[in-house]
Amino acid sequence: MEYINFGNTGLTVSRLSIGTGTHGWAHRSEQTALGLEGLSTLLQQAYELGINFWDTADQYGSHKHIAHALKTVPRDKVVIATKTNSHSGRAVARDVDRFLRELHTDVLDVVLLHCVSSENWPQRQAGAMEA
């Protein structure tokens, strides 16, 4: 597996990521349809093949699957990216706290604002970015 620096974050990620949200919406996705064990096994196998960059989101409903996979994969060996649909700083902060609990971790490596499409999003969502 080839690894690259993830921008200037200090994170090193596999060039290939494994996502958990194909057709992800309303807290389900094609991957979560595999069930807790099914998706967790898929994540573990990806890790064994060198894929250390795992993508999730609140709307995919896959946090519990990631948490389950982390029972057998060292947390410090994977980079987890998740996403929030919240737009205010207060709501994003609440989401981050919840995501930490759901993922059973004390670190979220990457948190993205999900489904942002407005032209002036940096101004409209300044509080979310600050959080």
Side-chain angles (χ1 to χ4, degrees):
M1 182 60 61
E2 184 179 346
Y3 297 90
I4 59 172
N5 293 324
F6 191 64
N8 62 0
T9 65
L11 301 170
T12 301
V13 297
S14 50
R15 189 169 287 279
L16 181 63
S17 173
I18 184 164
T20 62
T22 304
H23 302 119
W25 197 256
H27 301 287
R28 74 157 306 284
S29 70
E30 298 296 328
Q31 289 80 4
T32 62
L34 296 171
L36 187 63
E37 290 298 328
L39 180 48
S40 296
T41 298
L42 183 64
L43 291 163
Q44 292 162 1
Q45 291 172 341
Y47 173 77
E48 290 168 9
L49 292 170
I51 299 171
N52 76 335
F53 191 17
W54 295 0
D55 177 70
T56 186
D58 189 30
Q59 72 183 31
Y60 305 161
S62 55
H63 286 169
K64 66 183 175 185
H65 302 78
I66 299 272
H68 192 69
L70 288 174
K71 291 179 180 179
T72 60
V73 173
R75 172 61 185 96
D76 64 337
K77 301 295 184 194
V78 295
V79 174
I80 297 173
T82 191
K83 303 169 204 78
T84 175
N85 286 326
S86 293
H87 299 285
S88 73
R90 182 176 294 145
V92 169
R94 280 193 309 263
D95 284 350
V96 166
D97 287 341
R98 178 170 53 85
F99 296 171
L100 290 167
R101 287 190 309 275
E102 290 174 353
L103 289 160
H104 298 218
T105 188
D106 58 352
V107 175
L108 298 174
D109 301 303
V110 179
V111 178
L112 301 171
L113 301 180
H114 210 177
C115 300
V116 174
S117 59
S118 68
E119 184 176 300
N120 64 342
W121 72 268
Q123 294 79 30
R124 291 182 68 200
Q125 294 181 287
M129 290 296 293
E130 176 83 15

